[in-house]
Amino acid sequence: MLYAIIGQDIDHSLERRRQVRSEHLARIRKLQENGHLVLAGPFPALDTQDPGEAGFTGSLIVAEFSSLEAAQQWAEADPYVEAGVYAQVTVKPFKQVLP
């Protein structure tokens, strides 16, 4: 089943994001390589592709996991969680309708 993982950043998270971004992306790439990733990306703090030093307010990952518990465990082990980038992470079942 698909699950949406929504990470909400702490204020002024950009420096922490930068420090562990490569590890965060490596985990997501593994989902992609295994055919489980639907989409992933951050929420810019400004209405622009590159928010510069304003940074990001969070992230969204939609991926396939065997259960809600598995999705939650995966999300809790994210480098952004461990580095304190995210103030909160929500994991919800997701039903893709389109495309």
Side-chain angles (χ1 to χ4, degrees), residues 32-78:
Q32 183 179 27
E33 290 166 5
N34 293 329
H36 297 293
L37 182 68
V38 175
L39 64 89
F43 299 118
L46 303 174
D47 187 13
T48 180
Q49 287 288 329
D50 182 2
E53 292 302 309
F56 301 91
T57 61
S59 303
L60 170 66
I61 299 167
V62 177
E64 182 180 355
F65 291 91
S66 60
S67 66
L68 177 59
E69 182 179 294
Q72 289 170 327
Q73 288 175 351
W74 187 91
E76 290 168 4
D78 191 286

